[in-house]
Every structure is written in C-alpha cells, then in structure tokens.
Amino acid sequence: MAVSRTEPFLILGGGLIGLSIAHELAQKGHAVEILSRRRSEAAGFVAAGMLAPHAEGLTNQLLHLGQLSLQRQSKWVKRIEVTSGMTCGLRNCGIVVPFSNVQDRDNYPTARFGQALNENELEKEVPGIGSQWKAGLLFTQDGQIDNRRLLMRALEKACFELGVKFQEGVEVLELLHEKSIFKGVRIRTHSGEIETIRSSEGVLCSGAWSKDLIKELPIFPVKGQMLSIQGPQNALKRVIFGPGTYLVPREDGLIIVGATNEYNAGFQEGLTPFGQIQLQKGLNSLLPVAMNWPHM
C-alpha cells in the first residue's frame, strides 16, 4: 500500500551529523524530521570521540578546519547541554603523541603546535608508557568527548525537546527530484509499507550508506574495531595517540582502545579475532601495565 503525505525539513540519517544538523535547524524554528534505519549503528555510538586535529598530524585546509572546530566546540556543546539538561562529556584533557626518537618527533607535521617532551617528561605525562617510546609531543589544545555514552544521548534529548520528530526503522529507497530539484523521498517503513514523503528541503546524512542513494559519491565503508578496559580512576589522564593505536581515558577510569581500519570488510558487523589481537598488541606497546586491567 502506497501512502503520500507532506512532511517538514528531512534529515536522512540519525547519526552525529544528522542529529547535530537537526538540532541547529530546530533551534532556528524549523520543523524537522529525522529518518533513520537504525541509529544504534551510527559511528557516533561507537567512535572514541577524540578531538585531535593537532595530535593526528593534519595539514593545510583540513588542519585549519579542525582548529576552527576546536574553537567552537565548547560553545556548541554548552547549547546542547542547556537544551537537553544532560552533560556531553567534553574534556580538554590534552593528547600525547609518543615517538621512538627525537627526530621523528621534530618532523611531525604539527610539531610546532605542541610541547616537546623528552623521555623523562613523557613518562611523567603517561606513567607506565612502553619503554620503546623516547620522546613525545603534548597537545594541550586537543581533547575528547564521550560521544557514545553522553553526547549522542544528549543530542537526541535536545532534539526531542525542540520538537524534532523521529522515524526509526525507516529505509530510504529513493531521493525524489524534478529537474534536479529535491522533492522528497520514497521510504519503506518499519512495518514494510512504502510511503512517499514530500519535502522541498533535506540533508543527506547517511554516512557510508549514502552511496546507496547517490551512486556517484566516492564513499565506501571502513570497518573499525575497538575494545574497552577498566583502569583505576585517573590512572591515565591524557589521551595517548600512538601509531596505529590510541587510548582514550574517561573520567570514571574506562579506557577506549582503538582502532582497526579494515577496508575490505564492507558492512560486516561484529568483532574478529584478528582485529582484537591487533588492538591487544597496540595496547601492550603503549601501556603494558594496562594489559592486566579488566577488559569490558
């Protein structure tokens, strides 16, 4: 059975970007509806939440964009917290990037933005760090946000408080347009019915699934795995951004260990032994003492 009806500004995808745009539009008085197949599969619910344009060694315009984002992060988060009444877990904890030698440290693309650390200073910043790391950079301007447990939930609540409507379990089958002008979408609802939603305004926020709707987009999925360990509270105060592995400590002692990059896994879900072994090796390299802490 086909149903046609008129709807407001459409957000196609309920992840971090979709929720953020919906929140901005709703604050400006727009009627907004989010169409999402399964919000729990969004990257925002699993990513570690590093805010790290300097620690990641970005360059040129991408670095400039990251720096602008850092400058605006606090004010943006505060608006979400005020609307939702919830905390988002933003922490300006700083990020340490370790190196095996001073030359690699000094040649890092963003070295001029960080504080150079010798071996003793590195050990003070990260007690128990692996013995192969002889130098480091401390980027005090970088930090983290607890997106999985706090930010995403706060954004959902803030959107709800502003009147944003949610349709969950929806598959967007087709973008409708006339002479290249957006006119709405054709969807399959959670109950299997086909509906046409008419709208003149919408934003595609479907991440790696966006290519299903616009074949020309140069987008593909990259599978990433992480694991969590429970350390003593304040055992690790800084994020550690090592080569191939990073450790992101939350205030309650939970530490996120990430992440693999698997380009041939497609949309395959679940953990693999190979991915988890790689993470264990990275953890042992960066912080050997943490190998004895409980895995979550």
Side-chain angles (χ1 to χ4, degrees):
M1 177 179 178
V3 179
S4 295
R5 53 190 174 87
T6 302
E7 291 291 335
F9 203 119
L10 299 178
I11 304 296
L12 312 183
L16 177 59
I17 299 301
L19 289 170
S20 299
I21 293 175
H23 181 255
E24 294 297 314
L25 291 170
Q27 282 199 318
K28 292 177 171 59
H30 293 274
V32 183
E33 184 162 344
I34 296 175
L35 307 179
S36 177
R37 185 178 67 174
R38 190 174 64 186
R39 290 205 306 283
S40 62
E41 70 184 359
F45 278 112
V46 294
M50 286 188 297
L51 308 174
H54 304 96
E56 292 189 7
L58 302 184
T59 59
N60 302 322
Q61 292 302 310
L62 191 55
L63 173 60
H64 180 60
L65 180 62
Q67 291 171 327
L68 290 176
S69 179
L70 276 184
Q71 293 171 12
R72 301 179 182 184
Q73 196 77 231
S74 179
K75 184 180 293 186
W76 177 71
V77 165
K78 185 63 177 178
R79 287 165 50 207
I80 296 168
E81 292 179 336
V82 168
T83 307
S84 67
M86 301 170 64
T87 182
C88 293
L90 178 64
R91 294 180 63 200
N92 298 318
C93 60
I95 299 182
V96 170
V97 182
F99 299 89
S100 59
N101 59 73
V102 170
Q103 183 177 357
D104 287 348
R105 178 198 68 190
D106 294 344
N107 289 335
Y108 202 61
T110 50
R112 67 189 186 279
F113 297 104
Q115 175 186 337
L117 304 174
N118 60 32
E119 187 173 1
N120 290 332
E121 292 167 334
L122 178 62
E123 171 65 28
K124 288 180 180 179
E125 290 292 344
V126 187
I129 192 168
S131 59
Q132 70 269 42
W133 308 110
K134 306 299 183 182
L137 287 169
L138 169 60
F139 298 100
T140 58
Q141 64 274 58
D142 288 359
Q144 61 160 296
I145 192 164
D146 194 342
N147 49 282
R148 181 175 63 88
R149 298 187 298 179
L150 300 176
L151 174 62
M152 292 292 286
R153 299 305 183 191
L155 263 173
E156 288 177 333
K157 179 70 162 25
C159 286
F160 178 79
E161 293 295 335
L162 292 171
V164 173
K165 296 181 179 179
F166 291 83
Q167 277 209 63
E168 185 76 0
V170 169
E171 181 182 1
V172 180
L173 303 174
E174 181 184 1
L175 304 180
L176 305 178
H177 53 85
E178 296 176 10
K179 297 180 180 180
S180 300
I181 299 174
F182 179 70
K183 293 296 182 179
V185 295
R186 188 166 62 90
I187 67 170
R188 180 183 289 113
T189 69
H190 68 279
S191 59
E193 295 185 338
I194 304 300
E195 294 188 7
T196 297
I197 303 178
R198 296 291 178 183
S199 176
S200 60
E201 298 176 301
V203 182
L204 178 59
C205 303
S206 301
W209 290 267
S210 298
K211 193 177 180 68
D212 293 340
L213 296 173
I214 302 179
K215 303 300 182 184
E216 296 80 8
L217 290 176
I219 294 175
F220 56 90
V222 177
K223 179 180 175 64
Q225 299 183 55
M226 298 191 300
L227 60 86
S228 299
I229 57 177
Q230 183 63 53
Q233 193 168 7
N234 295 320
L236 186 61
K237 296 182 179 180
R238 308 281 195 190
V239 172
I240 310 176
F241 187 80
T245 307
Y246 52 75
L247 309 181
V248 184
R250 307 303 193 204
E251 286 189 298
D252 58 3
L254 184 73
I255 298 175
I256 309 300
V257 183
T260 62
N261 290 289
E262 301 162 49
Y263 289 87
N264 299 316
F267 290 102
Q268 178 184 353
E269 298 183 5
L271 304 176
T272 64
F274 174 78
Q276 295 299 292
I277 290 173
Q278 291 299 107
L279 293 172
Q280 294 279 3
K281 288 181 177 178
L283 174 62
N284 187 52
S285 170
L286 287 176
L287 199 66
V289 66
M291 293 294 292
N292 298 319
W293 296 344
H295 286 48
M296 308 301 288

